[in-house]
Amino acid sequence: MARIKPQALLIQSKKKKGPTRISITTIVMCNLIIALIALSLVATYRYWSRRSPDQSGSDLSTLEDIGGFVKKYDLPGYAILNTSKGPITVELFKDGSPEVVDRFLDLCQKGHFKGMPFSHVIKHYVIKGGGSQGLGAAEDWISKGKLRSQLVTRPKHEAFMLGTTKNRPDDKGFELVITTAPIPDLNDKLIVFGRVIKGEDVVQEIEEVDTDEHYRPKSSVGITGVILKREI
């Protein structure tokens, strides 16, 4: 039998027992993949933690656009009208007045109501935000309302309802009206799209401000901002 030379035997032994070498490139790529997976998990956790139920009711400065439209069940159902007298929380009638609510929400996103003054305060009737004359002369409106109250036994507008005046389709204005007493049949002038569920005392405090003969507040009082919420 032929004898194997020691040098050849040593080389053969190294081939059998030597560990498999992993290139530096492979190690770096594996580390990068692990790092990317970790970052992805952290980012996913942060995203869903921000959308938790506790956070979903916070200030919605923007509405989430899904596929070019906002899904109805994602729309805020409540609005907090922050006023110089305190907050007024209203429930929005998304099903009863969807078009008006959509327009109201859109204007909230654009800051339309920030700094809006209450231009007319009519005690035991309404407080109105906005500067146009959509309701007509206050004296005329009151006299008609009192006349109708004698003829109509079942009021269609209760106290603490949120509405807006009926404007022309091309009118870019949007006034806010909060009733402070049951008002008989204002359908020809008012569209109700919500109701006050918290802050009735604030409405009553605004109602008590001093006004001139045209029912305009003598001291400045108005809306400082609006916060939209999905849930209360």
Side-chain angles (χ1 to χ4, degrees):
M1 179 183 291
R3 296 181 60 186
I4 301 175
K5 295 182 179 181
Q7 186 175 1
L9 186 62
L10 180 61
I11 293 172
Q12 185 178 3
S13 175
K14 287 182 178 181
K15 288 182 179 180
K16 292 181 179 181
K17 298 180 180 180
T20 302
R21 291 184 179 181
I22 302 175
S23 66
I24 296 177
T25 303
T26 303
I27 295 174
V28 171
M29 290 298 294
C30 289
N31 288 335
L32 285 175
I33 292 173
I34 293 173
L36 288 173
I37 293 173
L39 289 174
S40 177
L41 291 174
V42 170
T44 302
Y45 171 77
R46 288 181 178 178
Y47 172 79
W48 286 108
S49 65
R50 289 175 183 172
R51 291 179 56 84
S52 63
D54 293 336
Q55 187 69 16
S56 64
S58 63
D59 183 5
L60 300 176
S61 59
T62 58
L63 294 178
E64 188 175 353
D65 196 334
I66 304 176
F69 62 93
V70 181
K71 292 185 177 180
K72 185 175 182 180
Y73 55 78
D74 283 337
L75 290 175
Y78 302 87
I80 300 176
L81 309 177
N82 288 317
T83 75
S84 50
K85 296 292 186 181
I88 301 171
T89 304
V90 298
E91 178 185 4
L92 303 175
F93 297 158
K94 294 191 294 183
D95 295 327
S97 304
E99 293 182 0
V100 180
V101 170
D102 287 348
R103 188 179 177 199
F104 170 77
L105 295 176
D106 181 61
L107 291 173
C108 286
Q109 305 305 310
K110 297 176 180 178
H112 176 78
F113 303 105
K114 187 176 182 179
M116 173 181 282
F118 287 108
S119 57
H120 292 86
V121 175
I122 308 173
K123 195 171 183 179
H124 304 309
Y125 220 68
V126 300
I127 60 175
K128 180 171 77 73
S132 72
Q133 300 297 321
L135 290 177
E139 295 87 346
D140 180 59
W141 192 44
I142 290 177
S143 63
K144 289 182 179 179
K146 289 182 177 179
L147 176 62
R148 286 172 184 165
S149 66
Q150 299 172 2
L151 301 175
V152 182
T153 57
R154 296 184 61 187
K156 294 183 179 180
H157 292 79
E158 301 174 359
F160 304 111
M161 305 301 286
L162 177 69
T164 185
T165 53
K166 289 185 176 181
N167 298 316
R168 298 185 305 274
D170 59 343
D171 194 340
K172 296 182 180 179
F174 191 102
E175 298 173 326
L176 291 182
V177 178
I178 300 177
T179 61
T180 62
I183 300 178
D185 197 4
L186 276 179
N187 285 339
D188 58 337
K189 289 186 178 293
L190 198 65
I191 302 174
V192 172
F193 66 95
R195 65 185 179 93
V196 177
I197 60 173
K198 187 177 180 181
E200 293 92 341
D201 57 330
V202 177
V203 176
Q204 291 172 335
E205 187 175 351
I206 296 173
E207 186 185 23
E208 294 296 328
V209 300
D210 291 334
T211 62
D212 61 17
E213 63 274 15
H214 299 293
Y215 303 96
R216 293 175 298 201
K218 293 181 178 179
S219 59
S220 177
V221 57
I223 299 172
T224 58
V226 180
I227 297 175
L228 301 176
K229 291 194 173 187
R230 291 192 179 94
E231 297 178 356
I232 294 295

